[in-house]
Structures are given as structure tokens and as C-alpha cells.
Amino acid sequence: MMDKATVIGKNLTVGYTKRKQKKEILRDLSFALNSGEMTCLLGPNGVGKSTLVKAILGQIKPWSGSVFLNGKEIASYTNEDLSKELSVVLTEPFLPGNMTVGQLVAMGRIPHTSWTGKLSEADLKAVEKALVATKITYLKDERLAEISDGQRQKAMIARALAQDGKVMVLDEPTAHLDLVNRFEIMRLLHEISRSQQKAILVVTHDLEIALETADRFWLLNCGSPLISGLPEDLVISGSINQLLPGKQFHFSVDRGRIESVESDVKFDFSGPVELVQWVRNALLKAGVKNLKSTIEVCGNPLLMKYEGQNFESVGELVEGLKRREVHL
């Protein structure tokens, strides 16, 4: 994949010096951020995700190793040149509420304007193109204080697009958004990476949505090398469990979600898998762990049978089993 790579890290070691004491954060990481792909960086808090992003953006100098942008060491770029290649969307930027969406997006053209700051015809076209790509042209004259969080985040993405660099880096772009907006923002970013051949890096904790939208994962954990691969490969191989230290949780390959490890659970089901998983989930939350007989689950309409008794909802089943005192 190196032929597609816009950003390449080779044997990167990064840290900080505080009070004359050196603290190593990341050691010997190698990676490639590819054009036309959206990559999600995942890992526990404090593992060094922000430090890695700062190294990619050229904000901190590696202790050893190098970061290359378009085949050139990022340390050799001037700030002006770098601003034409890289754009950043922060989690909680300071934005004046009386600024309009159009004005915000136009700020993305600052690296390309002359010292007067006046927008040329090409700049105006880039702003319009960014508004169209993020589907917010209708918000162009709205003030930032008067639009929703999801719309404001799209405006920030449009500003980064108007900057017209090959690389976009976004730090938790779906933080504080509702479920629908989280999916919409991530799908939008994926669409932009493909249609405009951008190399997009998204720092996120939202594993479920990342699995649905990302082309590639970077998994980062303390004391381990960075793991890069297709999300599906990392799930099937079990590497995704690196995000879940300890033995309390694991990622269920068949159900596609994080689950607690219940080693003392003893009950059996028969019936459609897509229904059984929800019934099982409800019983575990209710503390039901040991059953003598098999629960039969039927669908359309839902009906569950246990030891000769019928239940027409999961709630009825849970209450019925509790009355039998089969829970721990």
C-alpha cells in the first residue's frame, strides 16, 4: 500500500522532556496513511493518540525515526507549505457565534490568499465546492450560534475541505453528537475520502461506527506496536481485543459488538440467532445465569417457551425466570 501512502511513519519514537526528565510516549511505530481511504485511530485514553497526531502534523519533533508527507520529511516543510497540505478539525474549537457558516468555510482559504486576505474567484469556487461536498450550502448565511452541533461539525469539515490539502486529521469529530449525527458525519468523511482522494485520519473512541465506516484501523496500546489493517481482518484475527485490556470484556465476532465475559453462564437457546442474542442479553443484565432447560425462541410474532410456559415478550420472560428464583 506504500504506493498510495500520503503520510508514512518509519520507526517513530516520540516523547516529551519535562523538568529535565525524558518521558517516552511512543516507540518504534511505523504506519502509512493512504489517499482515498479513511483511517480510524483507536486506543485507550492516555495511550498516546494525541502525541502521534502531533507528530504527524509536525507539531512535535520525533526522538528518532521520521514522518514523510508526499515523500518529503514533514520537518522540512515550512508552516505555510504545511498548511496547504494538511487540515485539522479539533473536538471543541473556539468559534465566534456571530460568524456565518460561509465565513467559517472561507477561513480554509487563508493559506492560499495573498497578504490582503481577499478571496479570488478560485477561492470562492473552492468554498462553494466544500459547501456542496458537505451538503450544507443551504446553511451558508446562517450564524454558527443558530445551527445544531451536527451542522456546526459539518461546517468545520467544509472549512478543512476548502483548505484543499491532501490530508485531513480529525480529533473526535463525533464527540457530543447524537447517534444519527455520528453515523452521518462518519459516512460523510468516508465519502469525501473516496470522491476527493483525501487521506483522512479520524481519532475516535466510537468502535461501532468506526467498524461501519472506516477503510482501515490503527490500533494503539501501551507497550505494543501500532497494529494497522482492515477492520474486518482485525476482528476476525482477534487483534481488535487489544482495545479491551484485561479479561472482563471481549469483542464478539458473531454478534459484532463488545460483550462482557460471563464464564459462569449456563443456559441454552434454540431459535433464530438474531432473536436469541437479544434475549440472552436481557437475561444477563437481569442476573439470570443458570437454567436447567433450553429456552425456545420463536419469531413473528415473538414467543418464548421455557419448561411448558409461554412468554410473549422478553420482559415477561425475565420476570418469569426471576419468580422461579433461577437467578444468582
Side-chain angles (χ1 to χ4, degrees):
M1 299 296 288
M2 288 298 182
D3 58 330
K4 292 176 59 180
T6 303
V7 177
I8 295 174
K10 292 185 178 180
N11 309 118
L12 195 68
T13 296
V14 185
Y16 296 98
T17 301
K18 187 176 182 180
R19 296 172 186 167
K20 298 183 179 180
Q21 296 290 322
K22 285 191 172 184
K23 182 179 180 181
E24 184 180 276
I25 306 297
L26 304 169
R27 172 187 286 272
D28 201 27
L29 298 189
S30 295
F31 51 83
L33 188 64
N34 300 320
S35 60
E37 290 186 357
M38 184 175 83
T39 297
C40 283
L41 171 59
L42 301 104
N45 287 331
V47 77
K49 298 188 298 295
S50 296
T51 302
L52 177 56
V53 167
K54 288 177 181 177
I56 290 173
L57 296 176
Q59 294 176 352
I60 57 176
K61 185 178 180 181
W63 288 358
S64 63
S66 300
V67 178
F68 297 88
L69 172 62
N70 300 324
K72 179 181 174 182
E73 274 204 74
I74 205 161
S76 65
Y77 281 82
T78 65
N79 288 338
E80 182 180 354
D81 289 339
L82 202 56
S83 67
K84 294 177 182 179
E85 299 292 340
L86 288 167
S87 56
V88 184
V89 178
L90 301 176
T91 307
E92 295 179 347
F94 172 76
L95 299 173
N98 61 349
M99 178 184 286
T100 67
V101 169
Q103 289 170 335
L104 172 64
V105 177
M107 288 179 65
R109 297 305 299 168
I110 289 176
H112 303 274
T113 59
S114 65
W115 64 271
T116 64
K118 185 177 180 180
L119 297 181
S120 66
E121 186 176 341
D123 293 323
L124 293 173
K125 286 182 179 179
V127 170
E128 190 63 29
K129 181 181 177 182
L131 289 167
V132 170
T134 50
K135 304 177 178 63
I136 57 169
T137 302
Y138 70 101
L139 294 173
K140 184 177 181 179
D141 297 320
E142 297 291 330
R143 298 193 182 280
L144 296 178
E146 298 170 353
I147 61 178
S148 70
D149 289 342
Q151 291 171 331
R152 201 174 298 115
Q153 191 64 284
K154 288 180 184 178
M156 288 297 299
I157 293 169
R159 180 203 58 76
L161 272 178
Q163 201 167 327
D164 202 26
K166 294 182 179 180
V167 181
M168 290 176 60
V169 178
L170 301 99
D171 183 17
E172 293 285 354
T174 60
H176 315 307
L177 299 182
D178 60 38
L179 180 63
V180 172
N181 273 299
R182 295 205 306 271
F183 266 103
E184 189 175 1
I185 291 294
M186 292 293 278
R187 288 192 182 280
L188 173 64
L189 290 169
H190 184 258
E191 179 184 320
I192 289 169
S193 71
R194 292 289 178 87
S195 63
Q196 300 197 27
Q197 286 299 294
K198 304 284 187 185
I200 296 183
L201 177 63
V202 179
V203 181
T204 182
H205 287 98
D206 205 331
L207 176 59
E208 180 183 359
I209 297 177
L211 281 168
E212 290 287 329
T213 54
D215 295 298
R216 188 168 298 274
F217 274 3
W218 289 357
L219 306 183
L220 195 58
N221 212 337
C222 294
S224 301
L226 184 144
I227 297 176
S228 175
L230 267 63
E232 294 76 11
D233 281 333
L234 299 180
V235 167
I236 292 170
S237 69
S239 297
I240 198 73
N241 287 300
Q242 177 171 300
L243 298 175
L244 310 169
K247 298 181 180 180
Q248 186 178 358
F249 300 98
H250 77 113
F251 190 90
S252 171
V253 176
D254 56 339
R255 284 183 279 277
R257 64 186 188 189
I258 297 170
E259 294 183 342
S260 59
V261 177
E262 302 283 354
S263 58
D264 55 346
V265 170
K266 296 177 182 178
F267 46 57
D268 295 315
F269 291 93
S270 66
V273 174
E274 66 275 13
L275 298 180
V276 164
Q277 65 173 325
W278 292 108
V279 177
R280 182 179 185 275
N281 189 55
L283 295 184
L284 289 175
K285 287 191 292 184
V288 177
K289 296 186 176 181
N290 294 280
L291 298 176
K292 299 176 182 178
S293 305
T294 298
I295 299 175
E296 299 177 47
V297 182
C298 308
N300 201 17
L302 180 64
L303 181 67
M304 289 153 288
K305 301 178 182 180
Y306 181 74
E307 293 191 341
Q309 189 172 354
N310 293 341
F311 302 93
E312 295 182 354
S313 73
V314 180
E316 285 184 12
L317 175 66
V318 169
E319 291 303 315
L321 293 179
K322 281 185 174 182
R323 284 194 296 271
R324 289 168 177 255
E325 296 184 350
V326 296
H327 62 292
L328 298 179

